[in-house]
Amino acid sequence: NFLEKKRLQALATRSKGKAQPKKKKKAKTVDARNELAAVHKDLQEVQRDPATIRRRQRDLIHELGLVYGRVIAAASRGDAVARDRLLAPALRGFLKLAPAANADVVGDALDKVRAIAADAAAPPATALLCAEAAAALAAKCEGAGLTDNGNVVDGVYRALLRVAADPGADDADALR
């Protein structure tokens, strides 16, 4: 159908004896190109602005901290997926952000991590991971007055006793 239209148009122009005038470029195309160039220029200026870069970095770090905090909170409530798969990466990430975070936020997260470590139902590997994270958080945020209340030590000893009582368990392999 398309080829037939082209053939008919060619026949029509031949029969009249003159070629049809070529169409001009639409003004919309030129306007769109100019608008795109202006947007691109604005983006380059915004990306080079140091204040904007700092604000975006601060916002990104804030969002990451919220995600890590949500994972830690879900693990402290007993969510198995959060505790088994997501807790270790969230604790590692939170440890990196802790020195720049608010002391109250770090204190709340530390309380939740200590609660996970002290939980008798927590697997030994999770208890030891939380104990390690709690010690690192307390060391990194030394001036914030975050001291251990003994629950972490109890959780660590409980985990070690469980592994010692059943050396063939999966947790013993995870701790090695």
Side-chain angles (χ1 to χ4, degrees):
N1 196 7
F2 175 74
L3 293 174
E4 188 170 321
K5 279 185 182 179
K6 286 289 192 182
R7 188 181 63 81
L8 291 175
Q9 285 177 350
L11 285 175
T13 53
R14 278 190 230 147
S15 64
K16 291 181 183 175
K18 59 181 178 176
Q20 292 182 353
K22 293 191 176 191
K23 294 181 180 179
K24 294 182 181 178
K25 285 186 177 179
K26 293 183 178 180
K28 289 181 181 178
T29 306
V30 174
D31 291 340
R33 286 183 189 154
N34 290 340
E35 185 178 336
L36 183 62
V39 167
H40 184 67
K41 183 180 175 184
D42 289 342
L43 281 175
Q44 285 180 339
E45 290 174 3
V46 168
Q47 289 173 349
R48 291 185 187 146
D49 182 27
T52 305
I53 291 171
R54 283 192 303 272
R55 188 182 75 243
R56 286 182 181 168
Q57 287 174 344
R58 187 178 59 243
D59 292 344
L60 179 65
I61 289 172
H62 177 73
E63 290 297 321
L64 278 173
L66 287 176
V67 170
Y68 294 148
R70 288 179 186 142
V71 170
I72 292 170
S76 71
R77 285 191 307 267
D79 185 2
V81 173
R83 192 174 274 191
D84 295 341
R85 295 185 181 179
L86 301 176
L87 186 61
L91 286 174
R92 281 193 299 270
F94 193 75
L95 285 173
K96 290 178 183 176
L97 296 180
N102 186 350
D104 294 334
V105 173
V106 173
D108 291 342
L110 187 56
D111 289 341
K112 290 177 182 173
V113 169
R114 287 177 178 158
I116 296 169
D119 186 10
T126 302
L128 291 176
L129 176 70
C130 290
E132 179 185 3
L137 275 174
K140 281 190 175 188
C141 303
E142 199 172 319
L146 302 172
T147 58
D148 186 19
N149 58 3
N151 289 343
V152 174
V153 176
D154 291 343
V156 169
Y157 283 121
R158 194 177 305 116
L160 292 175
L161 283 173
R162 273 196 277 169
V163 171
D166 189 11
D170 293 334
D171 291 328
D173 294 333
L175 292 176
R176 290 186 189 151

